[in-house]
Amino acid sequence: MSGRGTFALRVPRLLRSLSAFHITPSNLACRSIPLRTRGIQRRCDIGLRRASTAREIATDSRSLVTRLKNLLYGSSIALFLLFGYYAVTDVRFSLHQRLSVPVLQYIYDDAEEAHHAGTKALKTLHEFGIHPRERGNPDAAGDLQVKVFGHILSNPIGTSAGIDKGAEIPDELLLLGPAYVEVGGITPLPQEGNSKPRLFRVASQSALVNRFGLNSEGCDRVAMRLRKRVREYAYAMGYGIDEAAERKILDGEAGVPPGSLVQGKLMAIQIAKNKSTPEDVDAIERDYVYCVEKLSKYADVIVVNVSSPNTENLRDLQRQEPLTKILRGVVGAAIKTDRKTKPAVLVKVSPDEDSREQVEGICEAILDSGVDGVIVGNTTKRRPDPLPAGTKLSETEAAILQEQGGYSGPQLFERTVSLVKRYRQILDRSLDVRRLAASQANDIQPTAREEGYDTIEASIGRDTPNLKTSDDASTQRLIHLPERHTSSQTDASHTSDAHALSTSNHNEQSSFADTVVPSPTREPIRKVIFCSGGITNGKQALEVLNAGADLVQIYTA
């Protein structure tokens, strides 16, 4: 066989062998690619890798920009939320006045429902720590300090009772900035008050007409709430949460007043009689005394309300004889308060009882009973003319003014100023007369009432070292009050002020203090005057303070 034939026979065999090893002609062709072709492919691979790197760099750049944008957006949102938190929780932020109040009035047609919604909102926000509060320490300079009942208060501004009838939000109110908060009024037994609706807005006058009728949960329930508050404070301060811890707080070991639980501030509790109590002065006195026994240890001040216009015959108790008896009973019960320091006692009187005999009788009851002072002003049964003069009310508002109840609004301001001047004149001049009588009869033994004075003064003396952590009182920058009116100054002022008092005849005002009957006692203590009625701004507050008041309760409709 020739060589060519032998090759022809061997080629198929070779192919079958290569096939067994998965070597095909196409593979052989690949393996036989010239070197020049492989170099080109290598350069293509390098180009692809460079293009991929460029895309990765571009992607990274876009990712960096995105991250910077997200950081900017996130920071903006965080700053907005932080600013919003500080703004909304600042009591001076104008949004509260310009938006919050109108929104509540728009949502709730009934004024009482709006009030409850507002207090509930304050309570809820406080639980989450996002409640309105006074930022910083605007009273740090000390130029607004006043001394009341032996305490140095940070400012002479307070709130009136009625905002917090059940003592549910005293802490929230104190955080708003006032140095004095009054809760109540509280009756011995629970009572519903008058039927609803019982609170009406006179929007054009920023005024209210109310006939609540002293709706109250009763003093036992309120006392339990206040006890819980004190024990929670004791626990937060590390004293525990039992009765012994409560005792330490009430006895002043924490260095704060036992009512407010805040240095430089006081909390008062207003008390009243039940509507169902018989019209007997002894039974009525027992109502007030019962409230004192239950509530006084949680109060810095007890306020005796005998001036609500919405409880039948309550204002009759402002006559000298029944008022003196009731106030003596309250003072006696307050002296027995189960703690080292005793609460002060004030009586809240009506702006409508402004005749010569009425004002003089109330002042005599104040002096004879041993109470520490008076709160001048409450709502009035009268209906003052609209402001500004000549304003014509809408039919709806005109109809509201015909509703039975007490009126409160800016129109009461002038009367408040005038009444403060009159009460200050009568009380101060009466004290002068009594001091003179005391100096002429200094051998007379002290009465039980005068011993009560000593007890209160002694309790204040014990309390002062714990409650006043600032410098000595002699160096305190207290708010300046002008010299009290002399008899000639006050007599002269009555003529100009008479128009603001009432339509009754005040021609005999100048002889008020001259008719005071001296009573031989030990040297009496100067009486404190708080005032409430139509005071809406700082300028008005200063005017009332200059008229003789020691503290101003701002109108908050």
Side-chain angles (χ1 to χ4, degrees), residues 332-350:
I335 290 171
K336 298 176 183 177
T337 299
D338 186 21
R339 71 180 195 210
K340 289 182 179 179
T341 59
K342 315 301 179 184
V345 178
L346 299 176
V347 57
K348 186 177 180 74
V349 299
S350 164

Side-chain angles (χ1 to χ4, degrees), residues 86-165:
Y86 275 95
V88 172
T89 57
D90 188 344
V91 72
R92 299 176 188 271
F93 188 45
S94 60
L95 177 70
H96 296 302
Q97 181 179 2
R98 298 181 181 180
L99 182 62
S100 301
V101 173
V103 165
L104 279 174
Q105 292 178 346
Y106 178 79
I107 295 174
Y108 298 96
D109 290 332
D110 184 85
E112 184 176 356
E113 291 181 4
H115 174 78
H116 291 318
T119 55
K120 185 177 181 180
L122 272 179
K123 186 175 182 179
T124 302
L125 291 172
H126 184 261
E127 291 174 354
F128 289 96
I130 53 176
H131 53 282
R133 70 204 75 181
E134 192 168 48
R135 291 287 178 192
N137 188 8
D139 297 327
D143 53 344
L144 292 179
Q145 289 181 337
V146 292
K147 187 173 182 179
V148 179
F149 310 131
H151 301 270
I152 302 297
L153 302 189
S154 56
N155 62 68
I157 303 300
T159 62
S160 298
I163 299 175
D164 185 14
K165 285 180 172 289

Side-chain angles (χ1 to χ4, degrees), residues 14-24:
L14 177 61
L15 291 176
R16 285 194 295 272
S17 300
L18 292 175
S19 176
F21 290 98
H22 302 284
I23 299 176
T24 63

Side-chain angles (χ1 to χ4, degrees), residues 351-557:
D352 297 335
E353 275 61 42
D354 57 0
S355 70
R356 168 190 165 181
E357 293 79 12
Q358 288 170 325
V359 175
E360 182 181 295
I362 290 170
C363 288
E364 283 298 301
I366 291 169
L367 294 167
D368 288 338
S369 63
V371 298
D372 299 277
V374 59
I375 298 180
V376 176
N378 203 329
T379 57
T380 177
K381 289 183 176 181
R382 301 168 187 169
R383 296 296 183 261
D385 294 331
L387 291 176
T391 299
K392 184 175 177 59
L393 300 179
S394 66
E395 291 184 5
T396 301
E397 292 188 337
I400 288 174
L401 292 182
Q402 302 304 314
E403 294 282 353
Q404 182 181 356
Y407 182 94
S408 55
Q411 295 94 331
L412 274 64
F413 172 70
E414 294 297 334
R415 185 188 299 178
T416 298
V417 174
S418 186
L419 282 173
V420 167
K421 289 179 181 178
R422 294 172 63 194
Y423 272 94
R424 175 53 67 198
Q425 176 218 10
I426 296 171
L427 289 172
D428 285 357
R429 291 184 64 184
S430 298
L431 285 175
D432 290 341
V433 172
R434 293 181 179 227
R435 288 189 182 106
L436 178 61
S439 66
Q440 295 174 350
N442 54 16
D443 57 336
I444 295 180
Q445 295 299 316
T447 64
R449 176 174 55 82
E450 293 157 356
E451 290 174 350
Y453 276 130
D454 292 341
T455 304
I456 293 176
E457 285 296 288
S459 70
I460 290 174
R462 288 192 301 267
D463 197 26
T464 300
N466 290 329
L467 302 179
K468 183 166 68 63
T469 58
S470 52
D471 296 336
D472 185 79
S474 62
T475 64
Q476 295 289 341
R477 294 170 55 192
L478 305 182
I479 189 169
H480 174 69
L481 299 179
E483 292 298 324
R484 302 303 180 191
H485 297 284
T486 63
S487 58
S488 58
Q489 289 173 326
T490 310
D491 293 344
S493 69
H494 283 324
T495 303
S496 61
D497 290 330
H499 70 281
L501 301 177
S502 70
T503 57
S504 46
N505 186 1
H506 299 294
N507 294 331
E508 299 177 335
Q509 290 172 7
S510 62
S511 61
F512 271 10
D514 296 334
T515 60
V516 174
V517 178
S519 59
T521 65
R522 297 169 66 189
E523 183 170 331
I525 302 169
R526 178 182 177 275
K527 300 303 178 184
V528 169
I529 295 180
F530 290 4
C531 63
S532 172
I535 305 162
T536 60
N537 56 59
K539 181 179 179 180
Q540 291 179 336
L542 183 59
E543 185 175 346
V544 177
L545 290 168
N546 289 340
D550 297 281
L551 186 139
V552 175
Q553 294 176 266
I554 294 294
Y555 174 68
T556 54

Side-chain angles (χ1 to χ4, degrees), residues 2-12:
S2 64
R4 183 175 297 178
T6 304
F7 178 78
L9 292 173
R10 292 178 63 188
V11 167

Side-chain angles (χ1 to χ4, degrees), residues 219-229 295 298:
C219 65
D220 291 282
R221 184 168 183 176
V222 175
M224 291 177 61
R225 182 176 294 135
L226 291 171
R227 181 181 67 180
K228 178 175 180 288
R229 172 177 174 261
L295 298 168
Y298 303 115

Side-chain angles (χ1 to χ4, degrees), residues 263-295:
Q263 183 66 44
K265 300 190 177 188
L266 300 176
M267 186 187 78
I269 299 178
Q270 185 189 112
I271 59 175
K273 79 175 189 73
N274 276 116
K275 184 177 181 179
S276 59
T277 301
E279 297 300 323
D280 173 71
V281 68
D282 291 323
I284 294 171
E285 179 188 351
R286 285 194 295 272
D287 268 17
Y288 287 102
V289 168
Y290 182 81
C291 288
V292 174
E293 291 171 347
K294 294 293 183 179
L295 298 168

